Amino acid sequence: MPRFSVIVPAYEVQPYLNDCLRSVLEQDFTDLELIAVDDHSPDACGAIIDEAAACDPRVRPVHLPENAGLGRARNAGIRRATGDYLLFLDGDDTLAPGSLRAIADRLARTGEPQVLVFDYARVDWTGEAVRNVRAELLRQGDPEDPEDPHARQVFRLDQRPELLRLLMVAWNKAYRRDFVRKEGFAFPSGFYEDTPWTFPVLLTAESIAALDRVCVHYRQRRRGGILRTASRRHLDVFEQYDRVFRFLDARPGLAHWRPALFQRMVDHFGVIATAPGRLPVRARAEFFRRASAHHRRYRPLG
């Protein structure tokens, strides 16, 4: 059983996929399997994955018979994973050198937490890398200082609620596979599929740890990325938050998180509404109507 299962879904990322796969396979920590999922990509992603598998037995290729979308492609990888921990990496991003060893060391030092949160840097088309502006939220305090909330090596989200201010994506965390399996976590279809994955995972985890280190280089594509493409599918965000609040309603013990999740939802809607070129002109009126309806539906009492 490998230590890590790194799951890489690939769809129309041919120019970047070789770099992505190499960034995993060339890590100095080698106890891994790389599950590369060809999401029925119309370009050469499938061939690139097969070539990598022919050169390295740690690569496990998966070819989906039809395009399933990012979330379901990740689910296909989860079903085939055998590692202790799951990591997700998009096919146009890369792992920073030394990341897996740093993650493995932190997991060992913190007693195998269910979730480990680590940092990332945005890399623009020129190659310039800029670290996450909220990196201070991952600061690891002095374990000898009882007054420092960051000194807790392992914690629940109630003890570090500021982590909800981080980018809610799947690929800045490592997840213990038995935890994911026990809780039945899976990605939905549609845009913003990370939202109903990440919030439930963090709210449910009994043990979380943080790693104050850039482990992922998040590529900012000039064109072609989902968040830079005008589409009505950005309206999927409403159904994704419906899923989040259904999860919350099904677990009364988590009801105290409703105000925080409501605020995150409102902030997320604001980002989508103001991002240049994300919402088609003909979809904007519908977006604001539905945002207003969600505001009324999920606003906490008082």
Side-chain angles (χ1 to χ4, degrees):
M1 179 185 297
R3 186 59 166 157
F4 296 121
S5 295
V6 183
I7 298 170
V8 177
Y11 183 77
E12 292 189 342
V13 289
Q14 176 183 333
Y16 318 105
L17 187 56
N18 270 317
D19 286 345
C20 174
L21 300 181
R22 278 198 302 267
S23 77
V24 178
L25 298 173
E26 294 177 359
Q27 292 282 311
D28 60 359
F29 185 92
T30 60
D31 187 13
L32 65 94
E33 62 180 1
L34 172 54
I35 304 175
V37 184
D38 168 23
D39 190 16
H40 204 69
S41 186
D43 57 12
C45 285
I48 291 170
I49 289 169
D50 287 340
E51 181 178 352
C55 296
D56 193 318
R58 296 175 297 169
V59 180
R60 300 181 59 192
V62 178
H63 297 278
L64 300 185
E66 59 185 20
N67 179 242
L70 180 58
R72 291 180 177 175
R74 286 173 175 165
N75 292 340
I78 293 172
R79 288 193 294 271
R80 292 162 173 82
T82 64
D84 296 330
Y85 280 86
L86 305 174
L87 289 92
F88 301 100
L89 185 66
D90 289 352
D92 51 356
D93 298 335
T94 57
L95 280 183
S99 294
L100 290 187
R101 184 167 298 282
I103 291 169
D105 290 347
R106 186 65 178 161
L107 291 171
R109 288 198 305 271
T110 53
E112 310 290 296
Q114 292 173 330
V115 179
L116 176 71
V117 186
F118 45 80
D119 206 10
Y120 67 94
R122 298 175 186 268
V123 180
D124 68 18
W125 63 275
T126 68
E128 181 182 1
V130 178
R131 189 170 182 180
N132 165 31
V133 296
R134 291 178 174 162
E136 78 282 354
L137 298 179
L138 295 174
R139 181 173 62 87
Q140 293 152 209
D142 180 359
E144 302 301 322
D145 182 0
E147 300 300 321
D148 184 355
H150 295 272
R152 300 185 185 96
Q153 299 297 296
V154 180
F155 49 88
R156 289 177 56 97
L157 190 62
D158 291 283
Q159 297 168 304
R160 295 276 297 273
E162 68 273 13
L163 291 185
L164 284 181
R165 293 167 52 203
L166 293 170
L167 190 64
M168 287 293 109
V169 290
W171 44 256
N172 64 351
K173 304 171 187 71
Y175 312 84
R176 214 165 70 196
R177 186 168 61 91
D178 61 358
F179 166 62
V180 170
R181 184 177 63 247
K182 175 177 176 290
E183 297 294 339
F185 292 128
F187 290 92
S189 58
F191 280 18
Y192 306 105
E193 70 292 320
D194 285 356
T195 300
W197 165 278
T198 306
F199 285 123
V201 163
L202 289 177
L203 295 177
T204 304
E206 297 285 342
S207 55
I208 304 172
L211 174 60
D212 183 15
R213 185 191 195 280
V214 169
C215 294
V216 173
H217 288 158
Y218 175 31
R219 189 187 301 272
Q220 307 295 285
R221 292 160 61 179
R222 297 182 73 180
R223 60 181 65 88
I226 288 175
L227 298 186
R228 295 177 181 269
T229 302
S231 170
R232 280 188 52 83
R233 295 190 64 192
H234 291 291
L235 301 177
D236 290 352
V237 72
F238 299 111
E239 187 175 353
Q240 306 297 20
Y241 276 100
D242 286 338
R243 292 185 169 104
V244 171
F245 283 100
R246 283 199 299 270
F247 175 85
L248 207 63
D249 291 342
R251 303 198 181 199
L254 298 177
H256 63 286
W257 285 109
R258 193 177 185 92
L261 295 186
F262 173 78
Q263 187 59 55
R264 284 305 313 268
M265 178 187 76
V266 172
D267 292 344
H268 197 171
F269 290 170
V271 169
I272 295 171
T274 58
R278 192 176 300 190
L279 285 173
V281 172
R282 293 183 180 180
R284 293 187 67 82
E286 180 182 352
F287 180 88
F288 285 109
R289 283 197 304 272
R290 294 180 67 177
S292 178
H294 268 57
H295 189 280
R296 292 191 300 271
R297 180 178 306 137
Y298 296 122
R299 183 175 56 192
L301 294 176

